[in-house]
């Protein structure tokens, strides 16, 4: 007899089915509990904290102050600097998306050694992190670093001081972030391009479409969901960015590379302003939400599914 | 030579030319990493020679030996990172697979609502959580321990999402047949779905490993004692102490990128598939 009819003290197959359905909760329980403890509860806690004046080191508990943290924030110059820098950090995203797209088109069927080249282009993204940030720091070293040595040899007698100067630190960051992002976009586009049927491409080519038209009239519309995905995740990732920038400059010199996440981090863990830091981080969340909403709205106009 | 042949030859020439251009471009993007590796074998006086010595004229091993053997604790950082990343790389995919099965294959009340809420959690940036987690971990007495990185790392939204997609793509019949034969969900999951999902579990394990290996923010906030540092934090410490010993710095940087490079070239197929499928389906 199959076990279908045995289980359960009552021997009723329906109650066995029911128990099997209840197992659903058991399967998801570890993750749901874990997420509640490490994500949902902290999020709610921080949501409450943003309306308080809690300073962790003061020994006083949190005290409700309404929206005072936000009033304080908009009056602070560093908030506006951080907002500007956070928006600047989004610039590399479309640049890396475009370059990634062009490389993917080339790699799709216009070169030999596709797999090797794909790995070469993807590796800088895959390995990027704190270690690579320090490599860039040395590459951009103002007096003797290779980048400035190259610029001098190209006849620029007074090359930028990059991360050592408030005027150029951000430019260095943008270059680093662009190079780091290309590989990911390329990989995703390449997968999308391989989904486009070759017959369609051949048909267009036989109809005499030039490469330029093939790209703009056939390929671009077909990969528009991918473009949309890459821009959204890219912008959201850029707004959250912290590690590589903080590792190189800690937001300096003279706060010139302070982004939201660094602003919030310093308020929390240098000054222990837990309430204020929570308000800043939720503002960051708002910015992320805004980007997502704007793009959801925008996609209706240019994404072809 | 007829027109057909010359056209084929011309097309091949163009394709090779493209290949060379793309190869050059890829090397340009790889150049920071190549410079890092070559500098790690240089003597201090050769670090900034120009034109750049991509292959050191006078290569030395001393930097690499020094990084691993001097009392800066780089070996300790390395072992700490390996411990945390390896633990998570084994446990996180299994836990994610469990939830993924529940969400994909069992119909229980409120499933879709819970899954939707679960996905919504992905919107919340880590930065929102640092302050409350810092306070909670202090209460839980796991602040300044590796548990502060391991426990939250066990649960991933991305992993559940990715593995669920894979389970949904499997034909419905196979689990239904087993179910009618009287196998319960636990048996179907353990005997059927886990073995079937090896590739996707491997892909997620690799991605999870790189996340945790590179995780800098959590370590920066939740670890204080130097002997608990992970590689990214240790790197920073190393930078501050190494000062202008750039060759030594680059040896440390090379060491910290090495596991990623090994994982990348060993699991390239899985990685590329994993990254692309998660995005296209997402």
């Amino acid at each position: 007899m199959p076990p279908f009819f045995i289980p359960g003290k009552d021997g009723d197959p329906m109650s066995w089915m029911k128990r099997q359905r209840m197992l659903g909760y058991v399967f998801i329980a570890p993750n749901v509990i874990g997420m509640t403890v490490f994500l949902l509860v902290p999020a709610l806690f921080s949501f409450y904290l943003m309306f308080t004046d809690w300073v962790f080191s003061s020994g006083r508990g949190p005290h409700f102050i309404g929206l005072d943290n936000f009033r304080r924030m908009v009056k602070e110059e560093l908030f506006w600097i951080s907002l500007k820098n956070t928006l600047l950090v989004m610039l590399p995203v479309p640049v890396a998306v475009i370059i990634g797209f062009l490389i993917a088109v080339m790699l799709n069927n216009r070169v030999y050694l596709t797999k090797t080249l794909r790995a070469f282009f993807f590796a800088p993204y895959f390995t990027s992190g704190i270690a690579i940030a320090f490599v860039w720091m040395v590459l951009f070293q103002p007096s003797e670093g290779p980048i400035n040595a190259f610029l001098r040899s190209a006849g620029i007698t007074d090359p930028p001081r990059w991360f050592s100067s408030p005027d150029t630190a951000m430019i260095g960051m943008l270059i680093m972030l662009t190079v780091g992002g290309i590989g990911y976009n390329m990989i995703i586009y390449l997968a999308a391009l391989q989904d486009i049927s070759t017959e369609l491409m051949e048909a267009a080519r036989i109809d005499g479409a030039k490469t330029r038209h093939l790209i703009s009239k056939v390929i671009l519309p077909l990969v528009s969901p991918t473009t949309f995905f890459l821009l959204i995740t890219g912008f959201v990732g850029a707004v959250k960015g912290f590690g590589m920038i903080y590792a190189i400059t800690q937001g300096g010199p003279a706060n010139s590379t302070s982004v939201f996440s660094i602003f919030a981090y310093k308020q929390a863990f240098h000054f222990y302003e837990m309430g204020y830091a929570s308000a800043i981080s939720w503002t960051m969340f708002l910015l992320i939400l805004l980007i997502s909403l704007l793009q959801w709205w925008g996609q209706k106009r240019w994404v072809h599914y | 030579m007829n027109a057909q042949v010359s056209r084929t030859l011309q097309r091949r020439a163009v394709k090779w030319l493209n290949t060379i251009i793309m190869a050059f471009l890829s090397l340009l993007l790889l150049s920071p990493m190549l410079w890092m590796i070559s500098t790690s074998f240089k003597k201090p006086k050769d670090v900034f020679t120009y034109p750049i010595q991509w292959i050191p004229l006078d290569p030395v091993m001393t930097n690499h030996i020094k990084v691993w053997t001097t009392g800066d604790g780089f070996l300790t950082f390395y072992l700490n990172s390996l411990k945390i990343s390896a633990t998570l790389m084994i446990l996180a995919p299994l836990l994610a697979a469990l939830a993924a099965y529940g969400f994909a294959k069992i119909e229980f009340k409120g499933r879709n609502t819970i899954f939707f809420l679960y996905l919504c959690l992905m919107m919340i940036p880590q930065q929102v959580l640092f302050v409350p987690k810092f306070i909670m971990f202090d209460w839980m007495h796991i602040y300044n321990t590796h548990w502060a990185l391991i426990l939250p790392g066990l649960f991933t939204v991305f992993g559940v999402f990715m593995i669920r997609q894979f389970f949904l793509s499997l034909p419905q019949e196979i689990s239904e047949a087993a179910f009618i034969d009287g196998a319960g969900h636990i048996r179907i999951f353990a005997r059927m779905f886990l073995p079937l999902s090896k590739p996707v579990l491997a892909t997620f394990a690799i991605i999870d490993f790189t996340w945790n290996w590179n995780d800098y923010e959590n370590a920066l906030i939740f670890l204080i004692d130097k002997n608990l540092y992970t590689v990214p934090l240790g790197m920073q410490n190393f930078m501050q102490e190494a000062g202008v010993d750039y060759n030594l710095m680059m040896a440390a940087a090379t060491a910290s990128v090495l596991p990623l490079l090994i994982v990348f070239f060993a699991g390239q197929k899985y990685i590329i598939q994993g990254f692309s499928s998660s995005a296209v389906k997402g």
Side-chain angles (χ1 to χ4, degrees):
Chain A
M1 189 155 40
F4 192 103
F5 300 103
I6 318 170
K9 292 178 191 102
D10 43 13
D12 174 4
M14 266 328 282
S15 96
W16 183 78
M17 289 294 284
K18 215 177 197 171
R19 264 202 305 280
Q20 285 296 317
R21 265 206 292 274
M22 297 302 281
L23 268 181
Y25 298 104
V26 179
F27 271 91
I28 65 166
N31 271 273
V32 169
I33 294 170
M35 279 294 166
T36 308
V37 174
F38 295 112
L39 230 153
L40 191 59
V41 170
L44 294 174
F45 189 20
S46 141
F47 193 81
Y48 159 71
L49 282 178
M50 80 173 151
F51 301 110
T52 72
D53 62 354
W54 199 23
V55 179
F56 188 70
S57 53
S58 70
R60 256 180 342 109
H63 172 247
F64 191 82
I65 53 165
L67 294 173
D68 278 5
N69 281 327
F70 294 93
R71 289 193 193 100
R72 172 179 168 192
M73 196 168 71
V74 294
K75 274 187 215 140
E76 200 164 343
E77 200 198 348
L78 191 49
F79 167 76
W80 295 104
I81 295 174
S82 305
L83 179 63
K84 188 196 80 191
N85 286 334
T86 305
L87 295 176
L88 270 178
V89 162
M90 289 164 66
L91 273 181
V93 175
V95 178
V97 165
I98 293 169
I99 299 175
F101 172 74
L102 294 176
I103 295 173
V105 169
M106 288 301 286
L107 256 52
N108 193 30
N109 53 17
R110 290 178 171 78
V111 294
Y112 295 105
L113 307 170
T114 303
K115 283 196 174 145
T116 314
L117 286 174
R118 185 177 68 172
F120 277 20
F121 276 113
F122 193 52
Y125 165 79
F126 195 75
T127 51
S128 96
I130 301 304
I132 299 299
F134 285 125
V135 176
W136 281 101
M137 194 175 95
V138 185
L139 289 176
F140 276 125
Q141 205 266 3
S143 54
E144 297 171 289
I147 290 175
N148 274 0
F150 171 76
L151 291 177
R152 279 195 198 92
S153 76
I156 298 165
T157 46
D158 186 23
R161 297 190 50 73
W162 303 112
F163 298 133
S164 310
S165 153
D167 301 326
T168 49
M170 212 52 207
I171 299 172
M173 296 293 176
L174 297 185
I175 294 172
M176 174 181 81
L177 294 171
T178 310
V179 171
I182 291 171
Y184 178 71
N185 297 316
M186 181 275 302
I187 276 288
I188 307 295
Y189 269 127
L190 202 54
L193 289 176
Q194 277 156 4
D195 281 351
I196 298 177
S197 80
T198 37
E199 290 101 69
L200 186 68
M201 301 282 286
E202 283 306 312
R205 214 185 307 239
I206 288 161
D207 283 351
K210 289 213 175 72
T211 306
R212 190 158 47 90
H213 291 130
L214 199 68
I215 290 177
S216 66
K217 295 275 156 57
V218 182
I219 300 179
L220 265 182
L222 280 171
V223 298
S224 59
T226 306
T227 308
F228 170 68
F229 167 85
L230 289 174
L231 285 176
I232 273 211
T233 50
F235 284 142
V236 169
V239 172
K240 293 191 209 171
F242 173 88
M244 292 179 86
I245 299 176
Y246 187 80
I248 297 177
T249 61
Q250 283 89 47
N255 289 323
S256 60
T257 55
S258 176
V259 289
F260 261 148
S261 53
I262 293 178
F263 182 34
Y265 169 80
K266 283 189 173 169
Q267 291 301 327
F269 301 105
H270 289 182
F271 310 120
Y272 293 106
E273 291 258 16
M274 297 313 190
Y276 189 40
S278 299
I280 298 165
S281 61
W282 278 101
T283 309
M284 201 170 123
F285 171 77
L286 221 66
L287 190 63
I288 291 171
L289 200 67
L290 197 73
I291 295 165
S292 311
L293 290 178
L294 268 180
Q295 285 186 299
W296 278 113
W297 171 79
Q299 74 154 330
K300 286 197 197 107
R301 300 177 54 195
W302 57 273
V303 172
H304 305 258
Y305 281 105
Chain B
M1 203 191 301
N2 63 41
Q4 184 81 40
V5 174
S6 90
R7 215 169 34 230
T8 319
L9 278 178
Q10 198 192 348
R11 205 180 296 154
R12 271 196 201 152
V14 169
K15 210 167 171 181
W16 273 114
L17 187 68
N18 285 341
T19 309
I20 291 163
I21 295 170
M22 295 318 272
F24 179 76
L25 190 61
S26 73
L27 288 179
L28 189 69
L29 296 182
L30 270 172
S31 59
M33 197 158 54
L34 298 177
W35 190 82
M36 167 189 86
I37 296 169
S38 88
T39 305
S40 75
F41 292 102
K42 284 179 192 167
K43 287 180 177 166
K45 66 173 174 59
D46 293 331
V47 169
F48 285 144
T49 46
Y50 192 83
I52 298 166
Q53 294 179 17
W54 290 102
I55 294 163
L57 294 174
D58 183 14
V60 287
M61 275 306 288
T62 44
N63 305 320
H64 287 275
I65 294 168
K66 211 169 164 189
V67 163
W68 290 103
T69 53
T70 44
D72 298 82
F74 198 77
L75 184 65
T76 314
F77 308 150
Y78 220 76
L79 293 176
N80 287 338
S81 268
L82 272 181
K83 177 182 119 187
I84 295 168
S85 309
T87 310
L88 287 173
M89 141 183 227
I90 294 164
L91 294 179
L94 288 177
L95 278 164
L98 207 60
Y101 184 87
F103 282 128
K105 291 289 161 185
I106 308 180
E107 280 175 35
F108 54 88
K109 233 185 191 164
R111 179 182 75 168
N112 294 340
T113 318
I114 299 174
F115 187 65
F116 177 73
L117 290 175
Y118 200 80
L119 286 187
C120 284
L121 292 179
M122 230 180 338
M123 288 281 293
I124 300 173
Q126 280 219 41
Q127 280 79 6
V128 165
L129 308 172
F130 286 137
V131 165
K133 269 161 89 180
F134 168 76
I135 294 156
M136 275 173 55
F137 289 174
D138 194 35
W139 290 339
M140 294 161 78
H141 297 290
I142 58 170
Y143 178 67
N144 195 26
T145 69
H146 286 155
W147 289 113
L149 304 191
I150 294 174
L151 286 180
L154 289 172
F155 313 103
T156 57
V157 184
F158 175 77
V160 173
F161 180 74
M162 183 177 176
I163 299 167
R164 177 181 169 268
Q165 292 295 100
F166 174 77
F167 285 167
L168 288 177
S169 74
L170 293 174
Q172 190 73 29
E173 294 82 39
I174 55 165
S175 57
E176 266 168 11
F179 200 70
I180 288 165
D181 282 348
H185 282 305
I186 294 174
R187 191 136 49 110
I188 297 177
F189 172 72
R191 297 274 171 81
M192 210 174 213
F193 276 70
L194 271 189
L196 275 175
S197 55
K198 265 182 205 153
V200 72
L201 290 180
T203 307
F204 175 58
I206 291 170
I207 295 175
D208 196 60
F209 178 85
T210 62
W211 281 349
N212 294 309
W213 185 265
N214 275 332
D215 178 19
Y216 171 61
E217 284 179 274
N218 284 296
L220 182 68
I221 292 167
F222 301 127
L223 301 178
I224 297 197
D225 294 346
K226 205 177 151 187
N227 63 335
L228 294 177
Y229 280 8
T230 55
V231 169
L233 212 51
M235 277 292 296
Q236 195 188 30
N237 189 264
F238 202 80
M239 292 295 146
Q240 283 152 2
E241 284 174 9
V244 289
D245 287 339
Y246 295 123
N247 49 333
L248 212 55
M249 273 191 197
M250 291 306 113
T254 305
S256 75
V257 170
L258 193 66
L260 297 179
L261 282 178
I262 292 172
V263 162
F264 181 63
F265 284 104
Q268 210 200 112
K269 200 182 100 200
Y270 285 139
I271 295 168
I272 287 171
Q273 262 172 17
F275 271 97
S276 357
S277 69
S278 63
V280 171
K281 282 170 193 156

